[in-house]
Amino acid sequence: EAQVTQNPRYLITVTGKKLTVTCSQNMNHEYMSWYRQDPGLGLRQIYYSMNVEVTDKGDVPEGYKVSRKEKRNFPLILESPSPNQTSLYFCASSLQYTDTQYFGPGTRLTVL
Amino acid sequence: GIQVEQSPPDLILQEGANSTLRCNFSDSVNNLQWFHQNPWGQLINLFYIPSGTKQNGRLSATTVATERYSLLYISSSQTTDSGVYFCAVDPYDKVIFGPGTSLSVIP
């Protein structure tokens, strides 16, 4: 089944404790992206990747890191999480950036 | 940067009614997509429609790129259509989402 998976789905952590949210797709897509969704602010792009080893900042990259060592995986790293990073996070992928995007199920992160 | 607006912000429909959702954008784009976020939070792509008209069952979409807007039509609405509808544009290699239209379909 073609899909985008994210793990974990739910996470409660404390300020400053490094964490990684994994994202994997099995559709051989070139383009992958991370978004956060916040009430009143909608969906905002954090980072995106046009292909392996190519990543770039979206609209809200501060406090996040990403890497794209393999085509299928695009982990989101929070080196020192803070409460303002409490949010619902979505990973998405598409064949190319101009193509239909497929979203993962979301990761709800709470930083205390 | 590019601005994306959606209207109306909220919509309540009786089951069986039709509706039109609008997405306006302030600059030229390479791509426009419509998504539905269901009440459980899942985001589903409805249409990839940089221009022209597409139909999928009770849903159809039209994008007029030269006039910088897109319309999503929902006919014979069902309770399962409830949720938030987003349009998203790709003016370059980033993706910009509109604020969404929250739709509630009541039996």
Side-chain angles (χ1 to χ4, degrees):
Chain A
E1 181 191 351
Q3 59 182 349
V4 179
T5 57
Q6 294 179 227
N7 282 293
R9 294 287 314 278
Y10 304 91
L11 179 61
I12 301 174
T13 189
V14 295
T15 298
K17 187 177 181 182
K18 181 180 178 179
L19 66 92
T20 299
V21 184
T22 64
C23 174
S24 183
Q25 50 91 6
N26 62 1
M27 296 171 277
N28 203 36
H29 284 171
E30 305 268 330
Y31 187 85
M32 296 186 75
S33 182
W34 276 102
Y35 301 89
R36 61 178 289 174
Q37 186 175 25
D38 303 287
L41 296 174
L43 280 147
R44 295 176 293 168
Q45 194 173 37
I46 303 171
Y47 269 96
Y48 60 95
S49 169
M50 302 286 274
N51 210 330
V52 176
E53 302 292 0
V54 180
T55 63
D56 211 340
K57 297 177 182 178
D59 284 335
V60 288
E62 295 78 20
Y64 304 95
K65 285 176 59 177
V66 293
S67 69
R68 187 95 182 271
K69 294 185 172 60
E70 309 164 277
K71 184 181 273 193
R72 63 182 294 127
N73 296 323
F74 190 45
L76 180 69
I77 303 157
L78 285 71
E79 295 265 359
S80 182
S82 62
N84 64 13
Q85 293 178 298
T86 292
S87 187
L88 178 58
Y89 291 87
F90 288 98
C91 178
S93 73
S94 59
L95 195 58
Q96 303 286 336
Y97 90 89
T98 52
D99 290 318
T100 300
Q101 285 203 67
Y102 297 88
F103 280 79
T107 295
R108 187 166 293 282
L109 172 66
T110 301
V111 183
L112 302 175
Chain B
I2 191 168
Q3 303 297 312
V4 183
E5 299 175 345
Q6 290 187 244
S7 58
D10 301 282
L11 187 58
I12 300 174
L13 294 177
Q14 199 78 39
E15 199 168 24
N18 303 328
S19 63
T20 301
L21 282 56
R22 187 176 180 105
C23 173
N24 291 332
F25 42 99
S26 61
D27 206 344
S28 301
V29 298
N30 292 316
N31 182 23
L32 187 140
Q33 300 183 65
W34 283 97
F35 296 90
H36 175 222
Q37 187 170 34
N38 65 24
W40 297 271
Q42 189 178 11
L43 275 158
I44 304 295
N45 184 280
L46 298 174
F47 294 101
Y48 163 81
I49 185 166
S51 63
T53 297
K54 289 187 177 180
Q55 180 147 12
N56 184 2
R58 296 181 295 103
L59 273 60
S60 65
T62 295
T63 296
V64 184
T66 53
E67 297 187 22
R68 298 178 185 165
Y69 74 89
S70 182
L71 302 173
L72 178 69
Y73 306 95
I74 304 173
S75 64
S76 304
S77 59
Q78 300 175 359
T79 55
T80 51
D81 295 331
S82 295
V84 183
Y85 290 81
F86 294 100
C87 64
V89 299
D90 308 358
Y92 26 94
D93 45 3
K94 294 185 181 181
V95 177
I96 310 294
F97 276 78
T101 291
S102 179
L103 173 64
S104 297
V105 181
I106 55 177

